[in-house]
Amino acid sequence: LLYDAGGNLVSSSETRGSDSEIIRFSGFAAGTYYVKVQGNAGAVNNYTLDWDRSNYAPKPDSNDAAGKSNDTLQTATNLNKFIGGLEASIHSDTDVDFFKLALDGVGTAKNYAKISFAGVEGDLDLFLYDEAGALLASSASRTGNSEYISLNNMEAGIYYLKVSGNNGALNTYALEWDR
């Protein structure tokens, strides 16, 4: 049985009739976890506990390089320097990524922002804010491998996108947009 730091059961492995049990950590936020080994129906036996000690958390991306950060509206990465897409990561449970996007005219049906990621590795969410920081739209589905926000009918101006991990999830993602 696997418990989080608060003592809540978060995963288990109950393969009866097998010589091994496995718990996969895919999609868990960084933190402290506790393993409890117990015999089925009071069974007693010897066991060996092995674990992979590798750190599989995504590495900070170039937007979070030493001395840089895009964790606030004021430090948002300017997307007007890029053409259509970039790769990034949510690499810690406190990391968020902000991106500044300028619409040159009223948004059309073809204008959008989208993140793509491997949902099984950790669920990410996408938010759209106006220049003053007011939330305008969000895409926070709990299933799938992408989040999408239409920019249709948005007035010309400055907007901000925010990418964050759902409940501390970590993951890499591809951000694409058409403005």
Side-chain angles (χ1 to χ4, degrees), residues 121-145:
E121 298 297 324
D123 183 39
L124 301 180
D125 298 327
L126 179 64
F127 304 90
L128 177 69
Y129 296 87
D130 67 13
E131 191 168 14
L135 180 64
L136 300 175
S138 64
S139 179
S141 66
R142 298 296 169 246
T143 59
N145 297 314

Side-chain angles (χ1 to χ4, degrees), residues 3 5 10 16 27 30 32 34 42 57 82 85 96 102 104 118 136 142 167 169 177-178:
Y3 296 89
V10 294
R16 290 177 176 51
T32 301
Y34 299 94
F82 301 91
V96 296
D104 298 328
L136 300 175
R142 298 296 169 246
N167 290 323
W177 64 94
D178 182 336

